[in-house]
């Protein structure tokens, strides 16, 4: 399906710049409120997306305006170097033609990027809440389909209910304050997520770009060491400035170390640490089809559904 280069009447489109970060963040939080009831987009994460080396803002980003009002934002980035390309799409309700126009621009650019990688097809992924402002019927009509379902879980925490836990025998946690530990955390997370859906291998340098290393608090990333086994797990967390909550970005345990309570200990450590920081809530996202038992682990520790997200996929030939 081709997209007209001309936006619908009354709307204009231009690429984003780094100077647009505040306005885009405000838009995304407005969409967050409509879709999930809470503004959760952190300006630091939005800035990291805009300055990511995998993104050429002039060609990979679009801002949609209704007069002077910013009403839409889309972004494309390529982590695979092959056929897999990712997209983001946010539009305020009431502008269906504008939403479709941005979607068409995203699709065309994603296909172009896959072609530049030498791929015969583009496999484009878009993560949307299960109640998006984008019309799902329009997505399906363009060939998009859902391929994965995720739950965003949350848990209330407090100093009284969530003290820092006693470590299991032989288990020691350490924060990633030294460069060698940061490299080790990267290696552990890469290995532990190898079999997960849509995992894209990333070098250490790429991972640093992905997590915006300049703005990372490395004291909030921990490695678990088990006597006799060595380093077997890592957990990356961050303090979400938008919602004043803790967020667990990744929790990975090597296959040979699972079943020893290490994941549980890391999880409870995060609860206790963020409670001590004064946070009253912590969240994470989990693939409901994850075969490692992560969803059951989180639910056993009192985490409950906040909202759900679907991964939508579009496959297009590049020639």
């Amino acid at each position: 399906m081709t997209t007209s280069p001309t936006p619908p009447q009354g709307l204009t489109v231009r690429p984003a710049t780094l100077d647009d970060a505040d306005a885009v963040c405000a838009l995304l939080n407005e969409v967050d409120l409509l879709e999930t009831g809470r503004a959760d987009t952190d300006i630091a994460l939005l800035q990291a997306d805009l300055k990511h080396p995998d993104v050429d803002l002039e060609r990979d980003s679009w801002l949609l305006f209704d007069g002077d009002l910013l009403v839409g934002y889309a972004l494309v980035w390529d982590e695979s170097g092959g056929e897999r390309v990712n997209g983001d799409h946010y539009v305020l309700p009431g502008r269906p033609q504008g939403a479709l126009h941005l979607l068409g621009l995203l699709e065309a650019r994603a296909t172009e990027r896959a072609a530049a990688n030498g791929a015969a097809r583009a496999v484009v992924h878009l993560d949307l809440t299960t109640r998006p402002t984008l019309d799902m019927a329009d997505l399906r009509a363009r060939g998009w389909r859902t391929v994965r379902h995720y739950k965003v879980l949350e848990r209330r925490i407090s100093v009284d209910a969530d003290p820092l836990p006693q470590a299991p025998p032989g288990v020691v946690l350490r924060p990633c304050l030294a460069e060698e530990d940061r490299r080790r955390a990267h290696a552990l997370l890469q290995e532990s997520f190898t079999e997960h859906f849509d995992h894209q291998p990333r070098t250490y340098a790429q991972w640093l770009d992905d997590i915006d290393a300049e703005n990372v608090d490395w004291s909030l990333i921990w490695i678990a060491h088990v006597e006799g086994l060595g380093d077997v797990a890592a957990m990356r967390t961050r303090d979400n400035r938008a919602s004043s909550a803790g967020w667990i970005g990744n929790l990975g345990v090597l296959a040979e170390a699972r079943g020893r309570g290490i994941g549980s200990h890391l999880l409870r450590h995060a609860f206790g640490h963020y409670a001590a920081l004064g946070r009253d809530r912590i969240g994470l996202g989990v693939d409901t089809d994850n075969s490692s038992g992560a969803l059951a682990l989180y639910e056993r520790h009192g985490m409950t559904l906040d909202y759900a997200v679907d991964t939508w996929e579009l496959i297009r030939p590049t020639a």
Side-chain angles (χ1 to χ4, degrees):
M1 186 177 294
T2 59
T3 299
S4 168
T6 304
Q9 186 174 5
L11 303 177
T12 58
V13 174
R14 69 165 173 83
T17 71
L18 294 179
D19 291 337
D20 293 312
D22 286 336
V24 174
C25 188
L27 170 70
L28 269 54
N29 275 317
E30 191 170 352
V31 174
D32 286 347
L33 283 168
L34 291 169
E35 293 185 347
T36 70
R38 185 173 57 248
D40 263 347
T41 300
D42 189 319
I43 182 64
L45 295 182
L46 189 278
Q47 289 170 330
D49 288 344
L50 294 178
K51 68 181 184 181
H52 197 284
D54 287 336
V55 170
D56 176 352
L57 286 179
E58 185 65 30
R59 294 187 292 173
D60 295 332
S61 70
W62 303 270
L63 300 183
L64 179 70
F65 290 89
D66 186 344
D68 293 330
L69 179 65
L70 178 63
V71 297
Y73 162 77
L75 186 75
V76 164
W77 70 99
D78 163 30
E79 293 181 351
S80 74
E83 65 180 22
R84 273 282 296 105
V85 183
N86 293 304
D88 272 342
H89 183 285
Y90 297 82
V91 177
L92 293 177
R95 297 164 182 86
Q97 294 307 309
L100 287 174
H101 182 72
L102 276 193
L103 188 62
L105 294 172
L106 183 157
E107 294 167 355
R109 178 57 178 157
T111 304
E112 185 179 271
R113 292 205 62 166
N117 292 335
R121 65 178 191 171
V123 180
V124 192
H125 281 187
L126 188 64
D127 289 332
L128 299 172
T129 67
T130 52
R131 299 179 61 186
T133 56
L134 183 61
D135 191 322
M136 289 182 282
D138 286 339
L139 275 173
R140 294 189 182 95
R142 298 178 71 90
W144 291 83
R145 64 188 183 96
T146 56
V147 293
R148 211 69 171 187
H149 185 72
Y150 293 84
K151 289 183 177 180
V152 176
L153 306 179
E154 70 166 359
R155 184 184 185 278
R156 294 291 167 177
I157 53 177
S158 69
V159 173
D160 292 338
D162 299 292
L164 283 171
Q166 183 74 31
V171 177
V172 176
L173 301 187
R174 67 181 188 275
C176 292
L177 302 181
E179 174 68 12
E180 62 183 328
D181 285 332
R182 298 171 189 180
R183 290 181 176 274
R184 186 64 183 136
H186 161 259
L188 288 165
L189 290 173
Q190 288 289 302
E191 183 176 350
S192 61
F193 281 91
T194 298
E195 301 301 322
H196 284 217
F197 172 75
D198 215 18
H199 172 70
Q200 302 295 325
R202 303 293 279 166
T203 66
Y204 180 62
Q206 289 172 325
W207 182 67
L208 292 180
D209 287 326
D210 295 343
I211 65 174
D212 193 22
E214 291 181 2
N215 293 308
V216 166
D217 183 345
W218 291 99
S219 71
L220 299 177
I221 301 177
W222 293 277
I223 290 172
H225 182 92
V226 177
E227 186 177 354
L229 290 178
D231 297 334
V232 298
M235 178 174 63
R236 182 175 68 87
T237 77
R238 61 178 171 83
D239 209 356
N240 189 325
R241 286 184 258 166
S243 59
S244 297
W247 178 260
I248 300 172
N250 305 107
L251 196 170
V253 181
L254 298 184
E256 61 267 27
R258 292 172 189 162
R260 296 169 175 261
I262 297 167
S264 290
H265 178 58
L266 282 165
L267 194 62
R268 288 184 289 114
H269 181 82
F271 295 166
H273 190 89
Y274 278 96
L277 289 178
R279 301 298 178 239
D280 62 6
R281 185 170 58 87
I282 193 166
L284 54 76
V286 60
D287 179 355
T288 58
D289 292 325
N290 186 328
S291 61
S292 69
L295 177 60
L297 167 68
Y298 302 145
E299 291 178 336
R300 282 200 307 272
H301 287 276
M303 303 199 78
T304 58
L305 179 67
D306 186 7
Y307 59 92
V309 174
D310 287 325
T311 295
W312 290 77
E313 180 178 88
L314 176 72
I315 299 177
R316 273 190 168 187
T318 57

